[in-house]
Amino acid sequence: MRELIENPAFKYYVYCAAALTFNPLVLAGMTGGARGKYKSPATPEDEKLSGNPYRDDVAPEVARLIRAHRNALENVPLALVAGLLYVLAGASPNPTLGLMATVAAARWLHSIFYLKAVQPWRTATFAVGALATGAMLIHTVVLVAQAGGAP
């Protein structure tokens, strides 16, 4: 375990993974805040806490936050797994930092552009994050194949 913690690529992964993981956490908090602000409880039992009636249809501002949050929940775990596999396969520090920082920055920018309804930047940042995640996965497979030996 000590060897992993001393690995510069793993350190870069951890720093970028922490920045990346804060993205859905922040969006969750913002969603909760918007539910209160727009009197839009998430479930019928939340009526008791908020005093506001539950409705199946939520305010458009809440709906946009929910969609941005869902997008982060769908994509952040994939990037975290791809990055960890990349480091465990023996990735060098600089490519790890470059790709993980790209994913983290792209995901944060995507969330901002999603919430502000800014196109084509929302799509562009989504694509950049997805491409960096894909690059880590492809390079991971190459590193493992280069290591040789039977599976």
Side-chain angles (χ1 to χ4, degrees):
M1 183 61 101
R2 186 85 186 145
E3 181 180 317
L4 186 60
I5 292 172
E6 291 173 356
N7 178 344
F10 183 72
K11 287 181 181 183
Y12 289 148
Y13 167 78
V14 169
Y15 299 144
C16 293
L20 189 57
T21 303
F22 272 111
N23 179 260
L25 287 174
V26 168
L27 289 169
M30 292 174 69
T31 302
R35 284 189 177 281
K37 179 178 179 180
Y38 295 100
K39 301 181 184 341
S40 186
T43 61
E45 63 270 18
D46 291 347
E47 289 179 351
K48 296 173 187 165
L49 289 175
S50 68
N52 300 311
Y54 171 79
R55 305 183 318 263
D56 282 331
D57 59 320
V58 297
E61 298 85 355
V62 175
R64 181 165 286 278
L65 272 159
I66 290 170
R67 289 191 305 270
H69 186 220
R70 183 179 303 132
N71 191 284
L73 290 173
E74 292 168 353
N75 289 280
V76 168
L78 299 175
L80 293 173
V81 169
L84 183 59
L85 292 175
Y86 190 45
V87 171
L88 293 176
S92 299
N94 287 341
T96 301
L97 175 60
L99 290 168
M100 283 299 296
T102 297
V103 172
R107 289 306 313 166
W108 274 99
L109 288 170
H110 176 268
S111 294
I112 292 166
F113 294 141
Y114 202 124
L115 296 178
K116 302 278 185 188
V118 179
Q119 281 289 19
W121 296 108
R122 186 186 94 205
T123 298
T125 54
F126 176 87
V128 167
L131 288 170
T133 300
M136 284 189 288
L137 290 170
I138 291 167
H139 196 200
T140 298
V141 171
V142 169
L143 289 170
V144 170
Q146 287 175 342

